[in-house]
Amino acid sequence: MADQNTNQNFPPVGGTNKDVDVRTMASDLNSIQGGGSPESYSPSIPTATPSETTPGPVPDANFQIPSVPAAAPENLPANNGGPKPKKSKGALVGLIVFLVVVALGALGYFVVYPMFTTANPNSQTSSVNTAPQPVNNTSTETTTLPAAAPESTSSTSTSPMPSISHQSLFKTVSAAIISTSSVSASTLSNLNISTTSNPALVEVVFEDQNGNPLTLSDMLKSLISADLTKSGLDQAFDPAYTSAFVYLDGNGTRWLGFVAKLSATSSLVDEKASFGQILESNTNLKNFFSKDPGTEGAWKNGDSATSNRYVLFSKNGYTIDYGWNNDTLVISSSYDGYKAALGGLQ
């Protein structure tokens, strides 16, 4: 079996058909029988030429690799002069990886690293430049705060200035006083009236806490709870030309009254009708007097010369009169007081 395997004709290796001296067991026996010694095997080393590297014909598809004894690899000759084996792919990949690492290192050192080293000085410079800013802001705040403090202090400590300046509707009066007390008949006795003449007409300007004269709507609401806002009369009269008055009769008794002038935008006909209806329907008219006047009667027309409307109470001497002089309204708790106020208008 060994001879058959050994003498079997192999196809040329590497696609070449070279004559190769093969040392066989038969040749070694012949040498020994002839009295000689077996010669060592020295295969001839063919010289590789460019044409020898050309791939040969495609091997037969039916070719079967012969079985080789296990000791055969030990007798194979060393390939001293044959073609060099190809380099493995692993070495090539390793070389490529090495070159890539070297290239990345050079790129990082010569390109990336200088970028970071140049950015650091700028950041340090910007931080140094921005450091003084909080100091400047602090100094600005401390400068503006003292300036704002006096303004707020003065605005809170100073009371608002009056926005309405009172204008008297009377040509002459015996006296004129200003009062911040409530509007009521009981207040009349507490008013400091300096005149000693009787009879006398004294103008009284009731003011609010801001120094502005009270409107007719405010005074009537305080006295008899009349609500002029429902008919719009609260805005019909000019507050600058509105005031109360006190009439002192011959006995020194004080009687309360009011004068008010319509504003330039008000209609005399409409306001006269609206005000008459509100006043005559009021049920608190007794508050015009400091004492009980008795039972209230019916409203009537007065003298044509004074164009007044009036109402009598059951007790003698108690009456309420009101009327108009052009666009000026006059109300009084005394008929003599009504005539004195009407005749004293400008």
Side-chain angles (χ1 to χ4, degrees), residues 199-220:
L201 184 65
V202 179
E203 183 177 27
V204 181
V205 179
F206 289 98
E207 293 181 345
D208 59 16
Q209 59 183 358
N210 295 325
N212 295 318
L214 294 180
T215 63
L216 179 64
S217 176
D218 292 335
M219 289 188 290
L220 291 181

Side-chain angles (χ1 to χ4, degrees), residues 1 17 22-23 47 65 75 78 150 189 203 211 230 243 295 331:
M1 290 296 291
N17 192 10
V22 179
R23 181 179 177 179
T47 303
I65 299 175
N75 297 327
S189 60
E203 183 177 27
K230 294 181 179 180
S243 69
T295 303
I331 309 172

Side-chain angles (χ1 to χ4, degrees), residues 136-200:
N136 294 334
N137 293 335
T138 304
S139 62
T140 303
E141 292 176 359
T142 55
T143 302
T144 55
L145 285 177
E151 296 178 1
S152 59
T153 303
S154 61
S155 61
T156 55
S157 60
T158 304
S159 59
M161 297 298 294
S163 58
I164 300 174
S165 178
H166 173 69
Q167 304 294 326
S168 179
L169 290 173
F170 297 109
K171 294 178 290 187
T172 58
V173 291
S174 301
I177 60 176
I178 297 176
S179 176
T180 57
S181 58
S182 60
V183 181
S184 65
S186 60
T187 303
L188 301 181
S189 60
N190 299 325
L191 294 177
N192 187 13
I193 299 176
S194 59
T195 182
T196 58
S197 60
N198 291 324

